[in-house]
Amino acid sequence: MANTVDKYFDLVDQNQQKFIETLREVVEIPSVSSDASKRGEVVRMGEWLQARWEQLGAQCKRIDPGKQILEGEELDLPPVILGQYGNDANKKTVLVYGHYDVQPALLEDGWATDPFTLVEMDDGRLVGRGSTDDKGPILGWLLCAETHKQAGLDFPVNLKFCFEGMEESGSEGLDAIIVDQADKWFKGTDVVCISDNYWLGKNKPCLTHGLRGVSYFHLQVEGPGADLHSGVFGGTVHEPMVDLVHLLSKLVDTNGRIQIPGIYDQVMPVTDEEELTYENLEFSHTALATDLKHDVIIHAEERDTLKHRWRYPTLSIHGVEGAFYSPGDKTVIPAKVKGKFSLRTVPNMEPKRVAELVTAFLEKEFAKLGSKNRMRVIETHGGRWWYSSPNHPNFVAGARATELVYGVKPDLTREGGSIPVTLTFEENLNVNVLLLPMGAADDGAHSINEKIDRRNYIQGIKLLGAYLHEVAVTDMTA
Ligand code: BES
Ligand code: ZN
């Protein structure tokens, strides 16, 4: 194995520039799943991946999950690309998942360069939307397989893959496909690996064994039949926006404490044993404050910041649809507004219970306002949290691979973000799932100037390959 892996590492080093060009090619496809006008680009990105894997000899199955209504338009959901590369009964089978859709990005959001053009900076940053989330990592699997084939190196496992184009928009249609294909396309899977999260800091790699869930809500307040002039109607009608602002202000205090009664009742207490897992991690408030560009950190202790990221629920307010938000002044009373907020959930919170508590609380608060407007709470999606023991051999393989590439033992982390499909795989395929991140803490996923460092991208391609080689020689039944 050592010989093959060394050769593979050498080839990755030799091909660095070519791999960056491949990343450039896919960053140029603006596969924004939340934008109806970009749906064709999302589909094009899925087709690009399928074509490239098929060229390599993989067997692919394209599943079109159906339709979606977006911005009043009926759209085809982008394809889920399932694949099988290699089918040798003597090898283990690893299933990898990734998403080829990206978050929206506009130059005017504050990007220093065009978001859909990959720019290589002098300091090694490869800047572009999707570079770290999740195009770099999904290319990692492809480039690993291509490199093995070109050099005539034996590919260590049978690889199955599942790439979707709706992750950033709640993975519509994906769960049903996984349930349906569990005994078909996914049959024979030994372990799952997902590379769609980030290191805790900038230097030390990690393996991740927990994610928070997310319950997303729209709080709609509707009043008059049309927008009104505030000079004529202000002070004489119940204003939807005023009601909404009152209600939103009741959800969470300025120190991040959720104000909805009962929410913390379902949270599992932190055990003494768990406290130990917060020791010696590559995480500092100084580095975090630098990444934030301004120190807005609530907690005094690093471990409390991590607990509030990984271990406790949080509530964030995202925006208001229907409100006036353009530059300049407009004396309007909006007729109908929708406040958007979400809770990140942790063990043992149940999305159904969360939705009940949120709805009951908002209804009670709305009743107190004595408003004649109409209010509705809509839960748009509720993805569950995931927590797994890091003692499984799949994690041992991930740790060995990390040591081989980076020369250090990885930190064990959990994440504040969500990848709801993780639990769907674990529950329906009955196999262990490892989260093996490629990017670093300061990559700025979802933000402006998203990047992956050249080092993380190139070493990451090695890491994913090394992991497959380690799986091949690790007893997964232990
Ligand atoms: N790559 C992220 C998941 C993630 C975010 C992992 C932060 C670790 C830290 C993924 O693309 C994502 O953003 N997921 C959404 C899921 C949601 C739409 C259900 C998220 O977390 O908001
Ligand atoms: Zn992602």
Side-chain angles (χ1 to χ4, degrees), residues 99 133 167-168 196-198 214 344 381 415 417-418 446:
H99 62 95
D133 185 14
E167 195 271 352
E168 300 292 5
D196 185 24
N197 68 302
Y198 320 99
V214 60
R344 296 285 167 169
H381 57 89
E415 278 283 12
S418 312
H446 296 205

Side-chain angles (χ1 to χ4, degrees), residues 7 25 79 87 92 94 111 113 118 139 218-219 233 246 263 274 283 331 344 411 472:
K7 276 197 198 135
E25 202 180 324
N87 195 358
K92 294 197 188 71
V94 178
W111 282 72
T113 53
L118 189 80
L139 283 188
H218 290 186
L219 169 56
F233 295 100
H246 271 278
I263 279 291
E274 201 185 329
F283 183 72
T331 52
R344 296 285 167 169
D411 276 340

Side-chain angles (χ1 to χ4, degrees), residues 248-297:
L248 291 177
S249 76
K250 297 283 191 299
L251 293 170
V252 62
D253 74 13
T254 52
N255 286 319
R257 178 98 192 152
I258 302 171
Q259 303 295 301
I260 303 165
I263 279 291
Y264 291 99
D265 294 354
Q266 310 168 73
V267 177
M268 219 168 79
V270 178
T271 60
D272 290 345
E273 193 189 339
E274 201 185 329
E275 282 291 348
L276 300 175
T277 63
Y278 292 90
E279 312 277 346
N280 302 322
L281 297 172
E282 195 223 9
F283 183 72
S284 85
H285 274 174
T286 319
L288 178 62
T290 309
D291 293 346
L292 289 168
K293 314 270 190 312
H294 182 70
D295 183 356
V296 284
I297 302 167

